[in-house]
Amino acid sequence: DSVIMDFVDEKEICLGALRSGEINSYVDLFYLTHRAGTDLPIVKPEQLPKISLNLRRAEKLERSENSSQVYRCHKTLANHFRDTDDVKTA
């Protein structure tokens, strides 16, 4: 059930995490959209909603000490980056 977005506002996705108090997710999203030394992001804009959802879910689950679900969220993210041949980010 993926929703294809014509336009993804990277700034709003990052700020959404910040507004919700998900500071770790905000930092991760910021670095994923601002690669050091280049103007190219690590992720494609259309991938950000799914990545943001997993990062934010993991952060919420971590607060509730649900380690197995946190692991699943991080594994999903790692698999995503591995599948896009970005082993360093994975």
Side-chain angles (χ1 to χ4, degrees):
D1 294 314
S2 71
V3 176
I4 298 173
M5 300 176 70
D6 292 333
F7 175 76
V8 175
D9 188 345
E10 295 173 8
K11 182 179 176 182
E12 279 305 311
I13 289 175
C14 291
L15 289 176
L18 191 59
R19 283 188 209 107
S20 296
E22 296 149 346
I23 306 305
N24 295 330
S25 297
Y26 168 78
V27 170
D28 290 340
L29 288 165
F30 179 85
Y31 283 115
L32 289 170
T33 57
H34 297 83
R35 185 182 297 247
T38 180
D39 291 334
L40 299 174
I42 293 173
V43 297
K44 295 178 183 174
E46 62 270 11
Q47 297 171 334
L48 278 178
K50 180 180 177 181
I51 291 168
S52 174
L53 179 69
N54 274 288
L55 285 170
R56 295 173 73 180
R57 183 181 296 149
E59 187 165 350
K60 287 176 188 172
L61 289 165
E62 191 169 21
R63 290 181 186 151
S64 66
E65 299 181 4
N66 190 336
S67 300
S68 65
Q69 291 297 319
V70 171
Y71 171 78
R72 286 185 186 154
C73 288
H74 286 292
K75 184 174 180 179
T76 298
L77 288 165
N79 288 339
H80 165 77
F81 288 110
R82 182 201 63 210
D83 293 344
T84 59
D85 293 326
D86 188 352
V87 177
K88 182 178 179 181
T89 304

